Amino acid sequence: MLRPRSGASAISASSNRRWGALAPVPRFSRELVTRLNPTERIVRDTGGMPDILGRIGDLEVRLARTTKDIRRCQRLRFKVFYEEMGARADARGFLSRRDIDPYDRLCDHIMVVDRKGKINRFGQVKPKVIGTYRLLRSDVAEAAGADFYTAGEYDLSRFLDGNRGLRLLELGRSCVLKPYRDKRTVELLWHGVWRYILHHRIDVMFGCASFEGIEPEALSLALAFLEHHAAGNRNARVKALPGLHVRMDRRPREAVDIKAAMKALPPLIKGYLRLGATFGDGAVIDHQFGTTDVFVTLRVADIDPRYIEHYGVDASRYAV
């Protein structure tokens, strides 16, 4: 970016006599930059949470606060979901190279940033967003008069009635850039989510988790395992919508090799299981994203104490 000159040294003497000496140009204030560049405008309030929620080495987790932050999360999602995993973009997404939907305006976005990032053409270090999670609280959805994203695949009526008066949190659009898919990044992402849960006193988490692929038979071992061993209270399970419901009991219980099934589970679903999550009735094929989705519920009170101790009762493990 061209910088304004700081004085009048380049102005000729005659020009000085004619126009008067130029006063030094002040540096742009943050407020002026914000007005000139709408993407820098703060559009999310941390609600008293610190800007940085945790840090491991050069990686840090924070809440997206500006329009630019949210767009960076959307670009990461596009890179992972569309360029890597082969999801089908609409015209808007294809042109913008961002994964965009109406819920982005309602949700909070957790982002993991590599502070080292890369060097831009001006020789400056540009931090890179390498992980994200999208969060929608029940009070925010209610105030906006909006359904949850998950309601497009599952009937949530009984679930919402059964948890009336509790603070709910829908989680979705989770992804990590491929070179960073390791324990450290995932732990930092979950540390940010855990700190958010504690701050907002969340009682129940839920959402859709995905398997790659749209052939249920190819996923029969993993789906049958979830159906037979992680169903929770069968009388209170969330059920896939009629017309979208795909049976998960594709193998009898006695035919499920638990060790092999655990290996077949995606890391995110395996992580939910270890925390103490239960799964809904029926999978749903998402043809746009090329995935098979399952419904996940996790009550905060049911989280395995080992994981609470790991991250800290007050989310202090990776705090700055």
Side-chain angles (χ1 to χ4, degrees):
M1 182 177 71
L2 294 176
R3 294 183 178 273
R5 293 182 179 178
S6 60
S9 58
I11 307 298
S12 66
S14 60
S15 295
N16 283 342
R17 288 192 297 271
R18 183 174 180 183
W19 299 107
L22 294 178
V25 177
R27 289 181 178 273
F28 288 147
S29 68
R30 175 68 180 176
E31 291 75 15
L32 180 58
V33 170
T34 298
R35 287 200 301 272
L36 294 176
N37 183 3
T39 66
E40 295 286 353
R41 194 167 295 146
I42 293 176
V43 293
R44 292 292 188 278
D45 185 356
T46 62
M49 299 178 70
D51 286 344
I52 300 172
L53 304 178
R55 184 178 290 159
I56 303 176
D58 292 315
L59 301 184
E60 65 183 27
V61 61
R62 61 174 81 149
L63 276 175
R65 299 199 64 200
T66 65
T67 301
K68 183 177 181 180
D69 286 340
I70 295 172
R71 289 181 178 180
R72 292 166 73 196
C73 292
Q74 291 170 332
R75 288 192 186 97
L76 171 64
R77 286 165 18 194
F78 188 92
K79 188 174 186 66
V80 174
F81 297 146
Y82 294 86
E83 294 181 356
E84 179 186 337
M85 298 175 61
R88 295 181 294 183
D90 59 16
R92 183 186 184 192
F94 182 80
L95 290 173
S96 67
R97 314 305 288 176
R98 292 186 283 134
D99 170 44
I100 306 169
D101 78 11
Y103 284 88
D104 286 327
R105 293 182 177 272
L106 289 178
C107 296
D108 283 325
H109 303 259
I110 296 280
M111 50 195 278
V112 175
V113 177
D114 182 352
R115 293 184 297 153
K116 287 178 63 177
K118 59 182 180 180
I119 307 297
N120 66 17
R121 57 183 175 177
F122 303 110
Q124 301 168 324
V125 177
K126 184 179 179 182
K128 179 166 61 174
V129 176
I130 55 96
T132 187
Y133 232 127
R134 193 171 74 175
L135 313 175
L136 178 58
R137 303 195 312 272
S138 53
D139 58 314
V140 174
E142 184 177 354
D147 288 330
F148 288 103
Y149 178 86
T150 313
E153 295 187 349
Y154 287 86
D155 180 358
L156 300 181
S157 55
R158 188 163 60 173
F159 171 76
L160 296 176
D161 286 342
N163 291 289
R164 195 171 299 280
L166 298 181
R167 296 180 179 88
L168 312 180
L169 180 66
E170 182 185 50
L171 294 87
R173 285 298 203 272
S174 170
C175 64
V176 174
L177 197 61
K178 193 170 185 178
Y180 292 86
R181 284 178 201 154
D182 54 29
K183 181 179 178 182
R184 186 174 69 154
T185 306
V186 173
E187 283 212 352
L188 197 55
L189 193 58
W190 266 105
H191 173 86
V193 173
W194 178 236
R195 194 157 189 178
Y196 186 94
I197 287 168
L198 293 179
H199 182 81
H200 291 286
R201 296 177 294 161
I202 299 299
D203 299 302
V204 183
M205 294 175 279
F206 71 98
C208 288
S210 302
F211 292 87
E212 286 190 52
I214 58 173
E215 297 297 335
E217 277 308 311
L219 304 169
S220 62
L221 175 60
L223 292 176
F225 169 79
L226 296 180
E227 175 66 23
H228 295 306
H229 294 280
N233 183 350
R234 294 186 177 274
N235 295 323
R237 293 176 76 192
V238 169
K239 191 171 185 177
L241 293 171
L244 299 179
H245 186 283
V246 173
R247 287 177 44 249
M248 294 171 63
D249 58 344
R250 311 187 79 82
R251 298 188 187 189
R253 184 185 182 95
E254 60 273 12
V256 174
D257 181 329
I258 294 179
K259 187 175 181 180
M262 287 296 291
K263 288 183 179 180
L265 293 174
L268 181 61
I269 293 179
K270 196 180 299 184
Y272 283 136
L273 266 175
R274 288 171 174 161
L275 287 172
T278 58
F279 292 79
D281 180 353
V284 173
I285 305 300
D286 187 330
H287 292 280
Q288 179 188 359
F289 283 89
T291 59
T292 299
D293 300 340
V294 291
F295 182 85
V296 188
T297 309
L298 178 59
R299 300 180 69 86
V300 174
D302 294 338
I303 294 178
D304 190 316
R306 291 177 301 169
Y307 292 96
I308 294 179
E309 292 172 7
H310 178 75
Y311 289 106
V313 176
D314 56 353
S316 58
R317 181 177 178 86
Y318 299 118
V320 177

